[in-house]
Amino acid sequence: MQRALVGLLSLALAAVLPGQPAFAQQGTITWWEHSNPPHNTYSKELVAEWNKKNPNTQVQYEFFAMTPYFKKLSAALSTRSAADMFTVIDTLLPSFTTKDVLAPIRPEWLGYRNLEDMKKAYLPGALDGYIHEGRLYAVPVVSSTFSLYLNRKHFREAGLDPDKDAPRTWEDIGRVGQKLVKMQGSTMAREGFDFAMHSSAWTMWYMEGLIRQHGGSILDRAGRKCTANGEAGVKAMQVRSMYVHKYKISDPTVSVATNALPADDMPKGRVSMFITHAGSVAQFGPKMMADVKVVPFPQVNPQKPVSVVYGFALAVNPHVPEAKQKAVHDLIRHVIRDPKQWYEKTSYPYPSANFLQLPGMEEARKTRYLDVFINDLSTGNFVTRTPYFIEISDAMHRAMERVVLRNEDPKASLDQACKEIDAALVKQ
């Protein structure tokens, strides 16, 4: 009854204030996101446009460092203290949907006849990672993967050709990196290559790609037992650590990267090769990108490429009244209305069906390495889907730190990680 009354009230107010969201009487909508400077800047622009057009329904926007944000969001959803709208990463959807802490997305409120009609507006499979038991729970704005960035200047200084000598395999990185690394006495002044160490989410993306390339997985098919300590996992961890201990081209203490700017060692010239996402093209800017070349994600076997994909999407708090949920859908329509602007502002491929036909995409293929990112997307799969993604990624991150920072045995460290992961999975 209460919901019906709220709905009637919203309809009445919409009739009084044409063009205004049905939620206009409530005043504010709150929106949380992870930190990513170009992405956050564009979101702020969208919020400013919205607030100018909708003086009675102001949006309050906040962003937070990525991995801490995911934990903050998870806790806030459990305690019903989350924002009205929030940006989620696809890996957390199983955790959120099993806890029933997301409101179903209403395609008809976004201008589509139904979910099948909405799917036609997106690339095939783009919505699949956000669908649970036939209902959509988030609207994607970013579809991404990882590729290898090279500093052209460093290559030339080292007598290397960034086109001919660009690494294709993990071992290539070690060999090329030995020519790129710079030492000042016994101190490494510039890394030849580095993996990001700042975030368990990034550790999972790297390790998933490496383990799959070696023919394994982090969990068994049923998702009930850790298999990361198998042969494929051990080989993956050996690759993860060999640039520090075998090739000696990486030193985690050189990095100044942060959650907000995980690839910041590249523009600062502290590393010559780094694996990061398409959004780094916008973060670095055209002046820096003139000295950068992007090549496909390194492989164990380049003839059988395997990569990982992930995405960010907009979700709705289920604990706000239905009228406010509809107003949040109006905000989502505002945010996603221009895929071309999303790409130009953030450099992330946008998963709309017509993305590659949008004006300027042909040029982006040549000048912003869009072809490289699209190719890596085409060989990728979403990372492990489990309600315990945070627990698993934290365990894998600790395993990586033991091996990379303390030179512990990869198998023993992964055995410890699997004990921790299996303990979490028992809760299922």
Side-chain angles (χ1 to χ4, degrees), residues 150-154 156 266 286-293:
L150 317 175
N151 186 310
R152 292 175 184 271
K153 278 188 176 178
H154 293 183
R156 294 189 184 106
M266 278 291 288
K287 184 177 180 181
M288 175 63 200
M289 284 304 298
D291 293 328
V292 170
K293 179 181 178 66

Side-chain angles (χ1 to χ4, degrees), residues 299-338:
Q299 300 292 322
V300 170
N301 179 1
Q303 303 307 314
K304 296 180 179 178
V306 176
S307 62
V308 294
V309 301
Y310 67 96
F312 291 101
L314 302 171
V316 182
N317 189 329
H319 302 302
V320 299
E322 186 172 90
K324 192 166 192 178
Q325 290 187 30
K326 187 174 187 309
V328 173
H329 278 70
D330 292 337
L331 176 59
I332 291 174
R333 289 186 73 168
H334 171 75
V335 170
I336 66 173
R337 72 185 192 282
D338 192 339

Side-chain angles (χ1 to χ4, degrees), residues 2-291:
Q2 184 178 4
R3 178 173 292 186
L5 288 173
V6 171
L8 288 171
L9 179 60
S10 300
L11 289 170
L13 190 60
V16 172
L17 300 172
Q20 294 293 310
F23 183 67
Q25 79 279 16
Q26 296 293 334
T28 61
I29 295 174
T30 51
W31 176 13
W32 288 355
E33 278 197 316
H34 63 289
S35 63
N36 176 298
H39 185 138
N40 302 143
T41 298
Y42 184 45
S43 294
K44 288 181 195 174
E45 291 176 14
L46 290 165
V47 167
E49 291 173 5
W50 168 277
N51 286 343
K52 186 175 181 180
K53 294 178 181 176
N54 301 278
N56 296 323
T57 313
Q58 296 288 284
V59 173
Q60 296 177 352
Y61 173 76
E62 290 184 274
F63 60 87
F64 310 88
M66 190 171 77
T67 297
Y69 165 63
F70 296 149
K71 295 178 179 178
K72 170 187 174 69
L73 178 61
S74 297
L77 287 169
S78 296
T79 57
R80 301 193 175 194
S81 57
D84 303 319
M85 183 172 91
F86 36 85
T87 304
V88 297
I89 190 168
D90 68 280
T91 49
L92 293 182
L93 259 291
S95 171
F96 292 161
T97 52
T98 54
K99 295 175 183 172
D100 200 22
V101 293
L102 300 181
I105 295 296
R106 302 276 292 270
E108 66 274 21
W109 285 353
L110 297 175
Y112 302 100
R113 291 194 300 276
N114 49 44
L115 180 55
E116 291 306 311
D117 185 41
M118 185 174 176
K119 284 182 178 179
K120 295 175 185 174
Y122 286 82
L123 293 169
L127 300 185
D128 292 353
Y130 307 98
I131 293 175
H132 175 67
E133 296 182 344
R135 305 186 81 172
L136 181 68
Y137 284 90
V139 181
V141 292
V142 164
S143 181
S144 193
T145 185
F146 285 90
S147 303
L148 178 63
Y149 286 55
L150 317 175
N151 186 310
R152 292 175 184 271
K153 278 188 176 178
H154 293 183
F155 266 63
R156 294 189 184 106
E157 287 171 6
L160 295 164
D161 184 325
D163 296 322
K164 294 178 180 176
D165 297 317
R168 300 179 67 208
T169 70
W170 300 103
E171 292 294 341
D172 287 346
I173 288 177
R175 288 190 289 272
V176 172
Q178 286 178 317
K179 297 180 180 179
L180 293 164
V181 66
K182 274 192 172 182
M183 303 295 293
Q184 290 180 348
S186 59
T187 302
M188 191 175 294
R190 184 180 79 194
E191 297 176 285
F193 169 77
D194 191 22
F195 280 113
M197 295 281 295
H198 69 288
S199 158
S200 57
W202 281 60
T203 295
M204 273 291 278
W205 286 321
Y206 291 152
M207 288 299 293
E208 286 265 13
L210 280 164
I211 292 175
R212 288 178 184 175
Q213 287 183 13
H214 282 97
S217 61
I218 288 180
L219 300 182
D220 65 5
R221 285 183 179 274
R224 294 184 174 277
K225 186 168 180 56
C226 176
T227 56
N229 58 345
E231 182 180 357
V234 172
K235 286 181 178 177
M237 189 62 84
Q238 288 169 341
V239 172
R240 181 65 183 82
S241 63
M242 69 183 184
Y243 306 112
V244 173
H245 302 303
K246 177 183 174 183
Y247 287 106
K248 302 188 187 307
I249 61 171
S250 176
D251 178 351
T253 65
V254 175
S255 174
V256 294
T258 63
N259 267 292
L261 295 169
D264 205 31
D265 292 319
M266 278 291 288
K268 286 187 165 56
R270 300 173 72 88
V271 65
S272 299
M273 298 183 287
F274 190 79
I275 295 170
T276 183
H277 49 67
S280 291
V281 172
Q283 289 182 11
F284 294 167
K287 184 177 180 181
M288 175 63 200
M289 284 304 298
D291 293 328

Side-chain angles (χ1 to χ4, degrees), residues 261-410:
L261 295 169
D264 205 31
D265 292 319
M266 278 291 288
K268 286 187 165 56
R270 300 173 72 88
V271 65
S272 299
M273 298 183 287
F274 190 79
I275 295 170
T276 183
H277 49 67
S280 291
V281 172
Q283 289 182 11
F284 294 167
K287 184 177 180 181
M288 175 63 200
M289 284 304 298
D291 293 328
V292 170
K293 179 181 178 66
V294 184
V295 297
F297 188 65
Q299 300 292 322
V300 170
N301 179 1
Q303 303 307 314
K304 296 180 179 178
V306 176
S307 62
V308 294
V309 301
Y310 67 96
F312 291 101
L314 302 171
V316 182
N317 189 329
H319 302 302
V320 299
E322 186 172 90
K324 192 166 192 178
Q325 290 187 30
K326 187 174 187 309
V328 173
H329 278 70
D330 292 337
L331 176 59
I332 291 174
R333 289 186 73 168
H334 171 75
V335 170
I336 66 173
R337 72 185 192 282
D338 192 339
K340 183 172 182 290
Q341 280 293 304
W342 263 103
Y343 175 71
E344 290 185 348
K345 298 283 187 176
T346 71
S347 294
Y348 285 112
Y350 190 90
S352 63
N354 65 342
F355 173 66
L356 290 177
Q357 286 73 51
L358 293 172
M361 293 306 111
E362 278 301 315
E363 182 66 16
R365 288 180 170 215
K366 302 170 188 170
T367 59
R368 302 181 84 184
Y369 298 100
L370 181 57
D371 267 353
V372 176
F373 301 124
I374 294 295
N375 180 67
D376 278 336
L377 281 168
S378 72
T379 62
N381 288 301
F382 285 104
V383 298
T384 298
R385 311 292 291 191
T386 168
Y388 297 96
F389 179 82
I390 288 179
E391 291 87 344
I392 293 170
S393 59
D394 283 349
M396 291 298 292
H397 189 72
R398 289 190 291 270
M400 177 277 294
E401 288 182 327
R402 288 191 292 269
V403 177
V404 172
L405 301 179
R406 304 209 298 261
N407 203 15
E408 291 189 9
D409 177 66

